[in-house]
Amino acid sequence: MASTYNGPWPARRIRDEFFAYFRSKDHTFVPSSSTIPYDDPTLLFANAGMNQYKPIFLGTVDPNSERGKLKRAFNSQKCIRAGGKHNDLEDVGKDSYHHTFFEMLGNWSFGDYFKKEAITFSWELLTQVYKLPKERLYVTYFAGDPQNNIPCDDEARKTWLDLGMDPAHVIPSKLNFWEMGPTGPCGPCSEIHVDRIGGREVPHLVDCDDPTVVEIWNNVFIQFNREENGSLKALPAKHVDTGMGFERVVSVLQNSGARPYTGKFGAEDVDGIDTAYRVVADHVRTLSFALSDGGLPNNVGRGYVLRRILRRGCRYVRKKLGAPIGSFFSSLMPAVVEQMGDVFPELRKKQDEIKEILDEEEESFSRTLDRGEKLFDQYATRAKEAGSNELSGADVWRLYDTFGFPVDLTRLMAEELSLIINEKEFEAAQERSKEASKGTFKRDKADSVKLDVHDLAALEKDDAIPKTDDSPKYQLGNVTAKVKGIYCNREFLGSTTSIPDSANFGILLDRTSFYAEAGGQEHDTGNIVIDGACDFKVTNVQMYSGYVLHTGHLKYGQLNVGDEVISSYDELRRWPLRSNHTATHILNFCLREVLGDHVDQKGSLVAPTKLRFDFSHKAQIALPELAKIEVMSVDWIKKNVKVYGKDVDLKSGFKIPGLRAVFGETYPDPVRVVVLGYDVDDVTKDLENPRWRNTSMEFCGGTHVAKTGDIKDFVIIEESGIAKGIRRITAITGQEAQEATRVANEFKSRLDVLETSSGNEKDAGLKVLTVELGQADISVLVKADLKERLGAIRKAFDKQIKEKEAAVNKSAIDTLVAYFNENPNAIGYFASIDVDGNSKTLQNVVAQGKKLGKAVYVFSVNAEGGKVAHANYMPENVREKGFDARTWASKVTEVLGGKAGGKEDSAQGVGVNVGEIENAVRIAREAYPISK
C-alpha cells in the first residue's frame, strides 16, 4: 500500500530513541498491558497508557508488590479506541490522525518528580533528540476555573517560558483539566501541538481539529482528588501521567504527506481509494493486536466492535481497492508482525491463531457482502426515485439482521451517496425484532413444531414433497433451494399469507445446507432468504425419516411453495460445532488407547461451546491417566492431519479394524465413515488392514473440520460419574480452551501473590480463591494442582496462625502472672493487650486471673475491623459487696459502645469506639469497688 520509508526516522528508531531517553532518566520499562482489560469491566478496550496504573493513582496498589515499588516508569501501551466513551472508528480514514489502534508512548512519575521535570523531559526529547524545530511547537496549559475555585496552572506556564518558548506559543485553555471519572485522582494538563507545515504563526489553529496542527503529547499532572461532593482535595503524593501518540509523532518526523498514494482527504479523495488505504492499515493493526490479546469477534460488547471493524474494512477492500476478500486481512497481518513483533512479542506467538480467526470471520462475511451491497443499491435507488435522501430505517435493520451489515457500515455507504438514515424507523425495527425473538423463544420451549407419524405418512404419499437432499451440509457456503412445503398448526400450506406474524412454523426444502440435530451434534441456525423480499429465521432443524424440517419465524416478507430461496446456515456457529465434533472422535480414540478396549460410547453432546462424552468405565479416571488422555488429544491436533469422510456400505464398514460404532445404534446403509489421516478410499481398498487400528475411525453423519489443527486446542474441564459403570468427560476446544487457559494462569498469578501475603489479607484472599476456583471452568488437571497448592498454603497459614496465637496467648498470660508476682498485693489487672481483638486469648487471660483469685479486666483492639474486644473476672469476695461482672462491663460499654453480657463472675463484650480504649481501661479500674 505504501513504499518503505527510507529517511532518518523509521518508526522503530523513533520508538527506540524514546525508550533510550527515559532509561537514561532512571525510568523502569513496564511492558504494555493487554488491549483486552480483563481486570477492568468498566472498559471495552485499554484506551490510554495509564489504564494499568490506575491502582497506583487510586492508592489501592499493594505497596510491597513490584508495581507498588515503582517510582518512574515508561512504555509503549497498545490502545484501542473503538466503542465506549472514546470511539474514533467512524473518523478513521477521513484524516491522517484518527486511529482505532495506536501506540501511546508514555512516561510516569508516582510521587517522585512533577511538573518542571516532566515538561523538561518532553521538551528535550522533541527538540534535542527528535530535532523538531522549536518554532513549530505550541503548548497549552490550564487557564483555571474560578467558578469551581481551581487556580490557573502558572507553574506549567512558567516552566515552558523558562525553557525558552515563545510566549505567543504558550496558550491558556480551559479544557486542560484531566479527570479519571466523576470522582478520583485528577489534575491540570499541558498539551504539546506541532505545526506540520511550519514557516507561519498559527496559535489560532491549536485545539481546532485542524489536520495541519496536531496534538502529539500530553503531560497530565495528577495533584487533586475529586471528592464525592464534587470538591477538590490536594493529594499527599503527586503523580505525572504522560502520553505521546506514536503514530502521530511518526507521521510528523517522517513528513508523511509525501506517500506513493496521493494522500488526499475528504472531497479531494474523489474515488475514496486513499481513505481505503488508511482504513485498511488502521484496521489490520487493531484486529491483530486485539486478537493477540485474546479478543474474539462475536455479537456482544467488545467482540461486536471487532466484528464491525473487520466488516467495515472488508467493504473498503472490495469496493474501493477492488481486491477479493476471504483472507485479505490475514495476508497483511505478517507485515504488522514484522514491524511490531519485536516490541510486542505476543503478535509473533499468536500469528497462526490470528490468521485463522481473521479468515473465519472474513470468509463468513464475504458470502453475504455481495448480496447485501446489491440490496443496499436497491434501497438507495428506491429512495432516490422517490425524491428522498433518506433510507428506510427498517431496510437498514434488515441489512444488519440478514446480512450482518453493522449500521455504521450502512451509514458509511449512505454517506457516499449523500443519503441519511431514518434513525427512528431503525430503532423501531430493532425493537420489533427483539420482541419477536422473545416470543419465538417462548414458543420454541412451549410449543415446538414437529412432524408426527400421520404427517410423515402423508408426506410419503405426496410426490410433490421429496425427501430432503442434505448433502450440502458437508460443504462450505450457501445453496439455492426450492420451498417444497410449509407446515403450520399440523397443516401443509401453499403459502405463509395466513400464518400470524412471528408465529413459529416449519419449512421443507428440496435441498439444504443446514445440519439437522443428530448423533449428539446440535442443529444449525441461520436464514432462508429471498434477497430483498423475505427472510425466514431458522432457530431449529430436525430430521424426520429423511425430511429436514427448518423451524423458525418470518422476520419479513412472505413465502410460497415453489419459491427459490437461499439456504444460509450460520457459519460462525457451525465452525466450533465442527471442531467439537472432531475433538469428540479424538477423545473417543484416546480413551480406548489409555483405558482399554472396554471403553464404549454411551452418549455425547456436541455444542458450540463444549463437548460432552459418556462412556463405559468402572472407576474414576486417575489424574495421571486423564493427563495422558488430554496430552494425546492435543498431540492429534498438533499433527494437523486431514479429516476424511465418505459413504461406504455398512457390511464393509464393520470389517474395518478399530472402527468405533455406538452399540445398539441403527445405521443407514450406506453409512458415512469419518477417518483421521487416511483417505476413506484407501481404507476401503484394504478393509482389514490392522494399521487402521492406529487412528480414529467412526460411523458418523456429523460435520467435521478439514484438518485437526483447525481445533486449535483441547482442555478437559470435568470428569465425573453419571451412573454405575458410566463416566462423563466434558471438554472445550478452540477459543474456549484458550480462554480457560488464560483464566487458569490468572488463578496461578493470584495464588503467587497470596503466597507472599500475610494476615487478614491472606486469609480473606484464600477464602475467595477457594470459592472461585471451585466454580471455574478450567482444566480439571490444572484445577487439581491449584487446589492442592491452595490446600498446602492454607494448611501452612493455619499452622502459622495457630503457632502465632499460641505464642501471643502464652505471652499475654505470662505478662499477667509476672505482674502479680511483682505486685502480690495488687487489687487487679487492668490492661490493653496487643492480641488483635482475639476474644479467645482475652478469655484465657481472664481464666488465669480466676485461678489466682485476682480481678481482671483486659481489652484488645482489632484495628482492621474497627472493634474493641473486652473481658473481665470479678472475685467472689467483691461480688458479695453487690457489684458483679455484668454491671462492671456495662460501665465500660457506656464509653466503648457496642454490647456486653455474661455471668455474675465473668462478662465480655465488643465495643465500637476504638479511640476510647485508654478511657475504657481507666473506667474499668475506677469502677472496680475495691479501688474506691
Side-chain angles (χ1 to χ4, degrees), residues 488-785:
C488 183
N489 290 331
R490 317 219 68 79
E491 286 187 89
F492 290 98
L493 307 174
S495 170
T496 61
T497 52
S498 63
I499 299 175
D501 287 349
S502 300
N504 240 28
F505 62 97
I507 297 289
L508 292 166
L509 305 174
D510 61 343
R511 60 199 300 259
T512 184
S513 57
F514 284 82
Y515 180 84
E517 188 168 303
Q521 180 175 329
E522 289 189 1
H523 58 78
D524 282 336
T525 60
N527 303 77
I528 294 172
V529 179
I530 302 174
D531 284 350
C534 176
D535 184 0
F536 177 80
K537 176 72 174 176
V538 179
T539 56
N540 201 339
V541 188
Q542 299 292 328
M543 172 87 78
Y544 300 92
S545 298
Y547 298 95
V548 174
L549 187 69
H550 308 79
T551 305
H553 66 280
L554 270 175
K555 290 154 72 174
Y556 65 89
Q558 298 293 337
L559 279 174
N560 300 293
V561 169
D563 282 346
E564 186 171 89
V565 295
I566 296 171
S567 165
S568 175
Y569 68 87
D570 182 352
E571 168 62 24
L572 298 174
R573 172 181 163 87
R574 170 83 70 83
W575 185 272
L577 283 166
R578 284 195 206 99
S579 292
N580 285 340
H581 205 149
T582 307
T584 303
H585 284 214
I586 291 172
L587 174 61
N588 191 4
F589 176 80
C590 295
L591 284 167
R592 184 183 67 184
E593 292 297 290
V594 174
L595 302 179
D597 285 341
H598 67 277
V599 170
D600 278 321
Q601 180 176 341
K602 296 296 181 183
S604 71
L605 169 71
V606 177
T609 56
K610 66 180 178 181
L611 64 95
R612 200 173 66 212
F613 191 73
D614 302 338
F615 56 96
S616 55
H617 189 63
K618 290 182 179 178
Q620 180 178 356
I621 302 175
L623 288 176
E625 288 180 316
L626 209 57
K628 195 172 179 181
I629 292 163
E630 185 173 282
V631 168
M632 190 181 291
S633 299
V634 171
D635 284 345
W636 270 103
I637 295 168
K638 288 178 179 176
K639 285 177 191 174
N640 199 24
V641 299
K642 283 189 73 174
V643 180
Y644 295 89
K646 193 170 183 179
D647 285 355
V648 302
D649 71 86
L650 190 59
K651 188 175 180 181
S652 298
F654 275 116
K655 292 180 181 178
I656 304 171
L659 184 137
R660 309 291 277 169
V662 180
F663 180 75
E665 182 81 17
T666 302
Y667 292 100
D669 191 3
V671 63
R672 189 171 178 83
V673 174
V674 175
V675 184
L676 304 190
Y678 296 105
D679 194 318
V680 179
D681 287 338
D682 293 336
V683 174
T684 55
K685 289 173 188 172
D686 190 10
L687 278 173
E688 299 183 41
N689 191 321
R691 69 174 174 158
W692 310 139
R693 177 68 173 71
N694 300 322
T695 191
S696 166
M697 196 174 302
E698 297 193 26
F699 289 153
C700 180
T703 60
H704 289 271
V705 295
K707 54 191 187 307
T708 57
D710 293 342
I711 300 169
K712 300 172 188 169
D713 203 357
F714 177 89
V715 171
I716 296 172
I717 60 170
E718 185 183 3
E719 191 279 333
S720 60
I722 60 168
K724 188 175 182 181
I726 300 178
R727 308 296 298 176
R728 169 175 288 173
I729 282 179
T730 304
I732 50 180
T733 65
Q735 298 304 324
E736 280 75 17
Q738 287 166 3
E739 174 63 10
T741 301
R742 186 196 68 77
V743 172
N745 289 336
E746 199 174 80
F747 274 116
K748 289 177 186 175
S749 299
R750 288 171 63 188
L751 205 50
D752 289 341
V753 172
L754 274 177
E755 206 162 15
T756 59
S757 63
S758 59
N760 290 336
E761 180 189 347
K762 188 166 193 169
D763 184 40
L766 288 171
K767 286 175 182 173
V768 169
L769 204 59
T770 300
V771 173
E772 291 183 5
L773 185 58
Q775 297 170 344
D777 284 335
I778 61 173
S779 164
V780 69
L781 301 165
V782 175
K783 185 181 282 192
D785 286 344

Side-chain angles (χ1 to χ4, degrees), residues 33-47 51-52 54 77-78 80 293 295 302 742 746:
S33 64
S34 167
T35 56
I36 311 297
Y38 294 104
D39 56 352
D40 189 347
T42 65
L43 292 174
L44 277 178
F45 301 99
N47 56 24
N51 289 156
Q52 66 174 313
K54 279 170 73 173
Q77 172 66 43
K78 304 173 292 185
I80 293 178
D293 285 334
R302 68 172 66 97
R742 186 196 68 77
E746 199 174 80

Side-chain angles (χ1 to χ4, degrees), residues 321 379 440 477 873 908:
L321 302 182
Y379 295 154
T440 300
Y873 167 70
Q908 56 281 326

Side-chain angles (χ1 to χ4, degrees), residues 827-847:
I827 57 171
Y829 181 71
F830 313 95
S832 169
I833 59 179
D834 185 14
V835 296
D836 200 26
N838 190 315
S839 57
K840 187 177 177 183
T841 300
L842 296 185
Q843 293 292 344
N844 291 336
V845 172
V846 166

